Amino acid sequence: VTLLTFIGYPAIVGLATVAEPFILTVYGPRWSGVIPIYTILCWVSLVHMLSSTSGLLFNSQGRTDQTFLWSLINFAVLLAAIYVGARQGSVTSVAWAYFTGQLLLLYPALALPGRLVGIRFGAVMRLVLPNLVRALSMGAVVHSVRIWMIPSHWGPPLQLAVLVLLGLATYLLIVVLTPGPAYAEIRQLLAERLTRRARPARSA
């Protein structure tokens, strides 16, 4: 989960931050109406990235019965959330309701299977929140530059290219200044892979 959020969170926050130029570039102006919905669903992905790991824990402990039960609960909560959102009469309200449903499911999605392997919800959050803060900090920088510094006459493709490069550079700088366990683990994995590649060459 730490590695997943270390890589996934900045990607999702970045997509939410550049939603407008992204949609206009990829799909065109006729799709501008989906920009708010797309942005909300990006925030949904931040939550779903964590809750989706529950099935892995259940199955790894041979508790597929609990996987099935949790799937039923998950379906019921999200269906109710979508129904409530639809009653408000707009697609945007459905997206917000779906986001709310995912938030309600987050704690049990991590706490229930966590009991099987001795992992507490708070322990997971202590590892995940620093990655969320890093991603949101990067998003804040990109959003500020887009609002205050990007010229209005720049087309969506140019805006998108500049903001994506800015986001990558900003996140790399944040990671270098505030390295965490995921960064250290990635460096270790890369070092091990390079060592394995070097060994056959030396043997030859």
Side-chain angles (χ1 to χ4, degrees), residues 102-168:
Q102 289 285 356
L103 282 178
L104 292 174
L105 289 168
L106 179 60
Y107 177 78
L110 295 177
L112 294 178
R115 293 176 181 176
L116 300 176
V117 291
I119 298 177
R120 295 187 177 184
F121 179 81
V124 176
M125 288 297 101
R126 282 193 293 272
L127 291 172
V128 169
L129 286 178
N131 291 334
L132 179 60
V133 171
R134 292 184 183 96
L136 291 177
S137 300
M138 177 271 294
V141 171
V142 174
H143 178 73
S144 299
V145 170
R146 177 175 172 268
I147 295 298
W148 300 106
M149 300 181 66
I150 296 293
S152 58
H153 63 271
W154 283 12
L158 180 57
Q159 291 185 32
L160 181 63
V162 171
L163 293 174
V164 167
L165 291 175
L166 174 64
L168 288 171

Side-chain angles (χ1 to χ4, degrees), residues 28-79:
R30 295 170 60 184
W31 287 83
S32 60
V34 307
I35 293 173
I37 302 166
Y38 171 85
T39 305
I40 297 169
L41 293 180
C42 285
W43 303 127
V44 171
S45 299
L46 293 178
V47 182
H48 182 68
M49 185 176 291
L50 294 179
S51 60
S52 63
T53 60
S54 59
L56 298 174
L57 283 175
F58 283 135
N59 294 339
S60 70
Q61 301 305 305
R63 298 306 305 268
T64 54
D65 57 326
Q66 293 192 20
T67 303
F68 176 70
L69 178 61
W70 174 246
S71 298
L72 293 179
I73 296 172
N74 191 76
F75 174 77
V77 171
L78 293 181
L79 182 63

